[in-house]
Structures are given as C-alpha cells and as structure tokens.
Amino acid sequence: MAALYAHPIEDLFVNTASTFIGPVLFPAHGFVVLTYFALRFHETTDAHSGYDFPWSPWRWLGALHGGARRHDWHHSHVKGNYGGFFFWDWLCGTDREWRAWEARRRE
C-alpha cells in the first residue's frame, strides 16, 4: 500500500502520467496492456520494499534501473533519486549526494 502512496498532485502528474503514457502512445491488445500494468506495479512494489533482493528481475537492468537500494536512499534521506531510471536523476543532478554516499560505502 505504501508503495502506491503519493501526494495527489504528484500522483496525478507523475505517477498516473508515467503509468498510462505507454498504453496511450502504443495501443496494444488488452493482455499486453495488463502485462504492462503488472510489470509496472511490480517494479513500484520492488523499489519500495526496502529490500535489494538478488533475484529481483529489476536488477537485471543493472545501472539503468538503479534498484531498490538506490530508491530506498531517496526515502531514508528525503532527497535525490526521484526517478525509477537513473538517467533522469543524472540529467537533473539529483543523484550527486547518492553517488558520493555510495562511493563512501564501497570504500
């Protein structure tokens, strides 16, 4: 339940828009759309679980996705790592503190 919580404005403009943009731009068979939604909700739940499971299919995307640990930092530090895919934070510079923290952790 907590994975789907957001401020109503964020929910409308960020979550709803990013969830429905795929089926709107690329109409498909109902089964494909349902599979898309299932994957989308699974990714949201996985990213908000607080666990970085080694068997998570989202880890297969490597640095492209970032994983649950990266998004968990967003919640524990209440800043940065806003996007599900790293490149948005990299482009906007909102992952600088995360990258510095991760570098210190790996030392």
Side-chain angles (χ1 to χ4, degrees):
M1 295 274 291
L4 300 177
Y5 173 78
H7 186 277
I9 294 173
E10 177 187 10
D11 204 27
L12 179 65
F13 291 108
V14 178
N15 300 336
T16 302
S18 66
T19 297
F20 286 98
I21 193 76
V24 168
L25 292 178
F26 305 103
H29 186 274
F31 181 75
V32 174
V33 173
L34 288 176
T35 301
Y36 167 80
F37 285 138
L39 288 170
R40 183 89 167 97
F41 293 139
H42 181 271
E43 186 276 332
T44 297
T45 303
D46 184 77
H48 289 92
S49 70
Y51 297 101
D52 194 20
F53 294 119
W55 59 81
S56 169
W58 303 105
R59 288 181 63 132
W60 298 339
L61 295 174
L64 178 64
H65 183 266
R69 183 173 68 235
R70 183 180 172 283
H71 195 69
D72 192 50
W73 189 88
H74 158 76
H75 288 284
S76 65
H77 290 76
V78 195
K79 60 178 123 177
N81 293 347
Y82 300 109
F85 293 96
F86 88 96
F87 58 86
W88 290 117
D89 290 305
W90 177 75
L91 282 172
C92 297
T94 55
D95 67 345
R96 287 188 190 111
E97 290 184 53
W98 151 258
R99 286 186 280 134
W101 181 84
E102 187 69 5
R104 286 191 304 272
R105 186 186 72 80
R106 292 182 181 184
E107 291 177 350

